[in-house]
Structures are given as C-alpha cells and as structure tokens.
Amino acid sequence: ISDEDGNIRFVSSIYKSCNEKLLDLTGENGVNAWGGPEFWVVPFGGSIGYCPADGEETEIHIVLRDHGPPTEDLIQQLTTFTDPSCGQRGGPNLCVDNGVSAFAPIAMDGSVTQGVTIFPFFNPATCFDSNFVVCTQEQVDAQIESGTATLARTG
C-alpha cells in the first residue's frame, strides 16, 4: 500500500535456516508471512527458508504484489499473499504480482539499489499471444513501469 506520493516502504529480515525443520510462518490469527502463494507452503507444512552452500551467498529476488485499495483488515492484507480481499478468494480486489527486482549475492555488509521492472508473466509484449491469452489487460495495467528497490545486508 503506497503513501500519498506513490512510494512503498517495506522492511523485511531474511534469515538462514539451514536445517531439516520447516518454518511455520502462520500466526494464530491466520496471518502469514510466507512470501508466496499457499500452494508453495501448505502442502509441505511450512516454508523451507534459504540455505546457501558453504562459502556461497544467496541471490535475493523481490516480488511486489498489488492488493488493491486498503481494507478494514489491513494487517492481513499486507501480510497474506492471497488475502480475503483478493478476487481469487471472492473479494473485490485484483491482487496481482506487479513488479520484480533481483539482487546478485552480496558478500559484505552494505546496500545495493536495483531497478524494479514489470513482473515477467504480465509483460504486454508477450502476454497476448494470438493463440493463447495468458493474462488480462487489467493485470497488465497494474504493472509498475519504473522504480527502485534497495537491499541492505547487515551482520
């Protein structure tokens, strides 16, 4: 949900989870922090997290998702991939991935800023194939045309 100027402020922490145990990222109130659709997490009973090999670092990919206008349950809307306001769950909002930024591994503390581009699946140049329509005009219209994302590594 953007501010008056259209800026989105997002803060997150990413931790290594190098063990066999899956992370249960669902709160008692049903709000979750999975970072993806339910079919990536629910069948497995949790999230794997990330665990790079010894001596390696991990690429970070940030996907932005538009959930439409704010609802009464703002926390659930902000933290749930497909919250009840989404059309996929019977709500009035579109709820579509609309931007992506990818960061190469960062080995030392510091920050890197990258551009944000449209989510590849909803690229208007490839979205409307003459034989198979893979997305709607509404999904294309929701895409972010420009912007930046900053990733900071500490510790």
Side-chain angles (χ1 to χ4, degrees):
I1 296 174
S2 63
D3 65 14
E4 309 80 49
D5 299 320
N7 295 310
I8 299 172
R9 307 282 187 236
F10 176 73
V11 177
S12 178
S13 297
I14 303 171
Y15 299 93
K16 291 182 184 178
S17 56
C18 295
N19 61 41
E20 300 287 324
K21 185 176 180 185
L22 296 174
L23 302 172
D24 181 1
L25 303 176
T26 304
E28 292 177 10
N29 60 356
V31 173
N32 64 61
W34 298 334
E38 294 178 12
F39 64 80
W40 283 355
V41 179
V42 173
F44 307 104
S47 177
I48 296 171
Y50 86 102
C51 182
D54 288 340
E56 293 186 359
E57 296 297 327
T58 300
E59 289 183 13
I60 304 295
H61 294 237
I62 296 172
V63 176
L64 302 175
R65 185 166 172 84
D66 185 338
H67 280 256
T71 64
E72 288 183 23
D73 196 346
L74 190 57
I75 295 299
Q76 187 172 31
Q77 187 178 17
L78 288 170
T79 61
T80 307
F81 186 81
T82 307
D83 70 274
S85 77
C86 296
Q88 299 95 317
R89 295 198 43 202
N93 293 343
L94 178 62
C95 298
V96 62
D97 296 339
N98 67 341
V100 65
S101 188
F103 295 86
I106 302 173
M108 300 179 66
D109 288 357
S111 65
V112 177
T113 299
Q114 295 281 80
V116 172
T117 61
I118 62 175
F119 194 74
F121 187 80
F122 302 115
N123 183 337
T126 58
C127 188
F128 305 111
D129 183 289
S130 60
N131 298 316
F132 182 68
V133 176
V134 294
C135 54
T136 67
Q137 187 63 49
E138 189 177 27
Q139 291 168 324
V140 170
D141 292 344
Q143 299 303 300
I144 294 173
E145 294 182 16
S146 66
T148 59
T150 300
L151 178 67
R153 177 186 169 138
T154 59

